[in-house]
Amino acid sequence: MYTRVSPVEYFRTLVDEPASIPLLEAAASLALDAYPSLDLQAVLDDVDRLCRQLADACRRASTETARLQQVLRFFYGVHRFAGNAAAYDDPDNSYLHRVLETRRGIPITLAVLLREFATHVGIDADGVSFPGHFLVRVNLHAGTVVIDPFTGASLDRAELERRAAPHGVGADALLAPATSWQGLARMLNNLRAIHARRGRADLLDPVLERLRILQRAGER
Protein backbone atom coordinates (compact mmCIF):
# COMPACT_ATOMS: atom_id res chain seq x y z
CA MET A 1 0.00 0.00 0.00
CA TYR A 2 1.01 3.61 -0.52
CA THR A 3 3.75 4.86 1.80
CA ARG A 4 5.58 8.18 2.10
CA VAL A 5 7.45 8.09 -1.17
CA SER A 6 6.80 10.26 -4.18
CA PRO A 7 3.82 9.25 -6.35
CA VAL A 8 6.14 8.46 -9.25
CA GLU A 9 8.41 6.29 -7.11
CA TYR A 10 5.38 4.50 -5.73
CA PHE A 11 4.23 3.85 -9.29
CA ARG A 12 7.67 2.39 -10.03
CA THR A 13 7.22 -0.19 -7.27
CA LEU A 14 3.82 -1.21 -8.64
CA VAL A 15 4.97 -1.81 -12.23
CA ASP A 16 8.39 -3.30 -11.49
CA GLU A 17 7.12 -6.77 -12.46
CA PRO A 18 5.02 -6.28 -15.62
CA ALA A 19 3.55 -9.79 -15.38
CA SER A 20 2.00 -9.11 -11.97
CA ILE A 21 0.99 -5.44 -11.98
CA PRO A 22 -1.93 -4.73 -9.60
CA LEU A 23 -3.92 -2.89 -12.23
CA LEU A 24 -6.60 -1.35 -10.02
CA GLU A 25 -4.08 0.06 -7.55
CA ALA A 26 -1.69 1.26 -10.25
CA ALA A 27 -4.50 2.89 -12.21
CA ALA A 28 -5.88 4.59 -9.09
CA SER A 29 -2.40 5.86 -8.21
CA LEU A 30 -2.20 7.97 -11.38
CA ALA A 31 -4.42 10.55 -9.67
CA LEU A 32 -1.77 11.27 -7.02
CA ASP A 33 -0.10 13.80 -9.33
CA ALA A 34 -3.23 15.96 -9.52
CA TYR A 35 -4.59 15.01 -6.07
CA PRO A 36 -1.51 14.61 -3.82
CA SER A 37 -3.60 14.23 -0.65
CA LEU A 38 -5.66 11.38 -2.12
CA ASP A 39 -6.18 8.47 0.27
CA LEU A 40 -5.46 5.61 -2.08
CA GLN A 41 -6.47 2.97 0.44
CA ALA A 42 -9.88 4.63 0.74
CA VAL A 43 -10.30 4.35 -3.05
CA LEU A 44 -9.48 0.64 -2.98
CA ASP A 45 -11.80 0.18 -0.01
CA ASP A 46 -14.61 1.89 -1.94
CA VAL A 47 -14.16 -0.54 -4.83
CA ASP A 48 -14.07 -3.46 -2.40
CA ARG A 49 -17.31 -2.25 -0.80
CA LEU A 50 -19.02 -2.13 -4.19
CA CYS A 51 -17.68 -5.59 -5.01
CA ARG A 52 -19.23 -6.98 -1.83
CA GLN A 53 -22.56 -5.37 -2.72
CA LEU A 54 -22.38 -6.95 -6.17
CA ALA A 55 -21.57 -10.35 -4.70
CA ASP A 56 -24.70 -10.11 -2.55
CA ALA A 57 -26.76 -9.14 -5.61
CA CYS A 58 -25.42 -12.17 -7.50
CA ARG A 59 -26.28 -14.78 -4.87
CA ARG A 60 -29.25 -16.07 -6.85
CA ALA A 61 -27.55 -15.79 -10.25
CA SER A 62 -26.79 -19.46 -10.86
CA THR A 63 -25.27 -19.20 -14.36
CA GLU A 64 -22.49 -17.18 -15.95
CA THR A 65 -24.95 -15.37 -18.17
CA ALA A 66 -27.15 -14.47 -15.23
CA ARG A 67 -24.13 -13.17 -13.29
CA LEU A 68 -23.02 -11.08 -16.25
CA GLN A 69 -26.50 -9.59 -16.58
CA GLN A 70 -26.43 -8.80 -12.87
CA VAL A 71 -23.02 -7.14 -13.17
CA LEU A 72 -24.22 -4.91 -16.00
CA ARG A 73 -27.42 -4.06 -14.14
CA PHE A 74 -25.43 -3.24 -11.00
CA PHE A 75 -22.84 -1.11 -12.84
CA TYR A 76 -24.99 0.78 -15.34
CA GLY A 77 -28.42 0.55 -13.74
CA VAL A 78 -28.11 0.62 -9.96
CA HIS A 79 -24.96 2.73 -9.72
CA ARG A 80 -25.44 4.56 -13.02
CA PHE A 81 -21.87 4.51 -14.28
CA ALA A 82 -21.69 5.97 -17.78
CA GLY A 83 -19.40 7.58 -20.28
CA ASN A 84 -18.81 11.29 -19.82
CA ALA A 85 -19.82 12.39 -23.30
CA ALA A 86 -20.39 15.98 -22.17
CA ALA A 87 -16.79 16.46 -20.97
CA TYR A 88 -14.81 13.65 -22.53
CA ASP A 89 -11.43 15.41 -22.26
CA ASP A 90 -11.77 16.28 -18.57
CA PRO A 91 -8.72 14.68 -16.89
CA ASP A 92 -10.94 13.60 -14.00
CA ASN A 93 -12.34 10.95 -16.34
CA SER A 94 -8.91 9.29 -16.13
CA TYR A 95 -8.73 9.32 -12.32
CA LEU A 96 -10.48 6.33 -10.78
CA HIS A 97 -11.43 8.02 -7.53
CA ARG A 98 -13.23 10.76 -9.46
CA VAL A 99 -14.95 8.18 -11.66
CA LEU A 100 -16.18 6.49 -8.50
CA GLU A 101 -17.43 9.81 -7.13
CA THR A 102 -19.08 11.17 -10.28
CA ARG A 103 -20.01 7.83 -11.90
CA ARG A 104 -18.62 9.25 -15.17
CA GLY A 105 -15.52 8.24 -17.06
CA ILE A 106 -13.92 7.31 -20.35
CA PRO A 107 -13.89 3.80 -21.82
CA ILE A 108 -10.67 2.65 -20.20
CA THR A 109 -11.43 3.79 -16.65
CA LEU A 110 -14.94 2.36 -16.85
CA ALA A 111 -13.42 -0.85 -18.24
CA VAL A 112 -10.98 -1.14 -15.32
CA LEU A 113 -13.84 -0.92 -12.84
CA LEU A 114 -16.23 -3.13 -14.80
CA ARG A 115 -13.57 -5.82 -15.11
CA GLU A 116 -12.83 -5.61 -11.39
CA PHE A 117 -16.49 -6.13 -10.55
CA ALA A 118 -16.94 -8.94 -13.06
CA THR A 119 -13.91 -10.93 -11.92
CA HIS A 120 -14.98 -10.53 -8.30
CA VAL A 121 -18.08 -12.61 -9.02
CA GLY A 122 -16.24 -15.25 -11.02
CA ILE A 123 -16.62 -13.91 -14.55
CA ASP A 124 -13.59 -14.15 -16.83
CA ALA A 125 -13.25 -10.61 -18.19
CA ASP A 126 -10.40 -8.77 -19.92
CA GLY A 127 -9.80 -5.29 -21.20
CA VAL A 128 -9.27 -4.95 -24.94
CA SER A 129 -7.04 -2.19 -26.28
CA PHE A 130 -9.21 -1.68 -29.36
CA PRO A 131 -8.03 1.30 -31.45
CA GLY A 132 -9.78 4.50 -30.44
CA HIS A 133 -12.09 2.94 -27.86
CA PHE A 134 -11.16 0.53 -25.06
CA LEU A 135 -13.52 -2.45 -24.75
CA VAL A 136 -14.22 -5.30 -22.33
CA ARG A 137 -14.18 -8.91 -23.46
CA VAL A 138 -16.12 -11.43 -21.37
CA ASN A 139 -15.25 -15.09 -21.90
CA LEU A 140 -18.24 -17.29 -21.13
CA HIS A 141 -18.54 -21.02 -21.67
CA ALA A 142 -21.29 -20.21 -24.15
CA GLY A 143 -19.09 -17.82 -26.12
CA THR A 144 -17.45 -14.40 -26.05
CA VAL A 145 -19.32 -11.19 -25.27
CA VAL A 146 -17.72 -7.84 -26.13
CA ILE A 147 -18.99 -4.84 -24.20
CA ASP A 148 -18.55 -1.14 -24.88
CA PRO A 149 -17.85 0.14 -21.35
CA PHE A 150 -18.83 3.68 -22.33
CA THR A 151 -22.46 2.63 -22.86
CA GLY A 152 -22.74 -0.89 -21.46
CA ALA A 153 -23.90 -2.16 -24.85
CA SER A 154 -22.97 -5.61 -26.10
CA LEU A 155 -21.37 -5.32 -29.54
CA ASP A 156 -22.35 -7.84 -32.19
CA ARG A 157 -20.07 -9.12 -34.94
CA ALA A 158 -21.31 -6.60 -37.49
CA GLU A 159 -20.60 -3.66 -35.20
CA LEU A 160 -17.15 -4.94 -34.31
CA GLU A 161 -16.28 -5.41 -37.97
CA ARG A 162 -17.55 -1.89 -38.71
CA ARG A 163 -15.28 -0.46 -36.03
CA ALA A 164 -12.32 -2.53 -37.21
CA ALA A 165 -12.70 -1.65 -40.90
CA PRO A 166 -10.84 1.72 -40.78
CA HIS A 167 -7.80 -0.12 -39.44
CA GLY A 168 -7.60 -2.53 -42.35
CA VAL A 169 -8.00 -5.75 -40.38
CA GLY A 170 -10.79 -7.98 -39.16
CA ALA A 171 -12.21 -7.51 -35.69
CA ASP A 172 -10.62 -10.71 -34.34
CA ALA A 173 -7.16 -9.24 -34.90
CA LEU A 174 -8.02 -6.38 -32.54
CA LEU A 175 -9.74 -8.27 -29.73
CA ALA A 176 -6.76 -9.78 -27.93
CA PRO A 177 -6.90 -9.33 -24.13
CA ALA A 178 -4.89 -6.32 -22.98
CA THR A 179 -2.25 -6.81 -20.31
CA SER A 180 -2.14 -4.55 -17.26
CA TRP A 181 0.99 -2.99 -18.76
CA GLN A 182 -0.90 -2.15 -21.95
CA GLY A 183 -3.85 -0.75 -20.02
CA LEU A 184 -1.65 1.56 -17.96
CA ALA A 185 0.23 2.70 -21.06
CA ARG A 186 -3.07 3.61 -22.69
CA MET A 187 -4.24 5.53 -19.62
CA LEU A 188 -0.96 7.43 -19.40
CA ASN A 189 -0.98 8.27 -23.10
CA ASN A 190 -4.51 9.64 -22.71
CA LEU A 191 -3.33 11.85 -19.84
CA ARG A 192 -0.26 12.90 -21.79
CA ALA A 193 -2.45 14.16 -24.63
CA ILE A 194 -4.87 15.94 -22.28
CA HIS A 195 -2.19 17.71 -20.24
CA ALA A 196 -0.28 18.71 -23.40
CA ARG A 197 -3.40 20.27 -24.91
CA ARG A 198 -4.09 22.15 -21.69
CA GLY A 199 -0.52 23.33 -21.26
CA ARG A 200 -0.22 21.69 -17.83
CA ALA A 201 3.51 21.00 -17.69
CA ASP A 202 3.24 20.38 -13.94
CA LEU A 203 1.02 17.37 -14.64
CA LEU A 204 2.54 16.37 -17.97
CA ASP A 205 6.08 15.88 -16.61
CA PRO A 206 5.20 13.15 -14.08
CA VAL A 207 3.05 11.39 -16.68
CA LEU A 208 6.03 11.32 -19.06
CA GLU A 209 8.22 9.97 -16.26
CA ARG A 210 5.68 7.25 -15.53
CA LEU A 211 5.67 6.29 -19.21
CA ARG A 212 9.47 6.02 -19.15
CA ILE A 213 9.30 3.86 -16.04
CA LEU A 214 6.68 1.63 -17.64
CA GLN A 215 8.68 1.32 -20.84
CA ARG A 216 11.86 0.35 -18.99
CA ALA A 217 9.95 -2.23 -16.95
CA GLY A 218 8.49 -3.71 -20.12
CA GLU A 219 11.91 -4.02 -21.74
CA ARG A 220 13.39 -6.15 -18.99
Side-chain angles (χ1 to χ4, degrees):
M1 183 41 56
Y2 181 60
T3 58
R4 290 186 180 277
V5 297
S6 74
V8 170
E9 286 304 310
Y10 176 56
F11 180 78
R12 189 192 305 274
T13 68
L14 293 176
V15 304
D16 189 56
E17 295 293 337
S20 56
I21 293 173
L23 178 59
L24 180 69
E25 185 175 356
S29 78
L30 302 185
L32 288 167
D33 296 329
Y35 295 90
S37 63
L38 175 65
D39 184 341
L40 193 55
Q41 183 60 58
V43 179
L44 300 179
D45 288 346
D46 193 20
V47 174
D48 187 59
R49 176 181 57 80
L50 290 171
C51 283
R52 292 197 303 270
Q53 290 178 10
L54 174 60
D56 287 340
C58 286
R59 289 188 185 280
R60 295 185 180 180
S62 59
T63 67
E64 284 184 318
T65 300
R67 286 201 305 277
L68 176 58
Q69 290 172 342
Q70 190 62 50
V71 169
L72 296 176
R73 186 179 303 114
F74 180 87
F75 194 71
Y76 295 102
V78 176
H79 289 280
R80 308 186 75 82
F81 283 95
N84 192 350
Y88 193 91
D89 285 339
D90 187 333
D92 276 359
N93 294 324
S94 294
Y95 300 141
L96 286 187
H97 78 288
R98 291 293 294 141
V99 176
L100 287 164
E101 290 168 2
T102 66
R103 300 298 200 252
R104 294 294 179 270
I106 54 176
I108 192 164
T109 48
L110 294 167
V112 168
L113 292 173
L114 181 60
R115 177 184 176 275
E116 188 73 18
F117 294 153
T119 56
H120 186 80
V121 294
I123 294 174
D124 181 13
D126 295 297
V128 174
S129 195
F130 203 88
H133 199 103
F134 208 83
L135 303 175
V136 173
R137 171 177 172 161
V138 179
N139 308 299
L140 305 176
H141 288 101
T144 299
V145 178
V146 179
I147 297 166
D148 182 344
F150 202 69
T151 63
S154 175
L155 305 179
D156 62 19
R157 172 59 58 177
E159 177 60 18
L160 289 168
E161 293 296 349
R162 185 190 70 78
R163 295 188 183 199
H167 307 285
V169 296
D172 288 341
L174 301 173
L175 290 174
T179 65
S180 295
W181 190 98
Q182 290 170 324
L184 286 172
R186 182 116 169 206
M187 292 182 75
L188 286 166
N189 278 312
N190 286 343
L191 283 168
R192 177 173 64 177
I194 291 169
H195 296 326
R197 282 195 300 270
R198 293 177 173 227
R200 291 296 304 270
D202 58 320
L203 296 175
L204 177 59
D205 288 346
V207 166
L208 293 175
E209 180 59 23
R210 289 170 191 271
L211 280 167
R212 286 189 287 268
I213 289 168
L214 196 63
Q215 184 62 38
R216 288 194 291 269
E219 290 171 351
R220 287 203 302 271

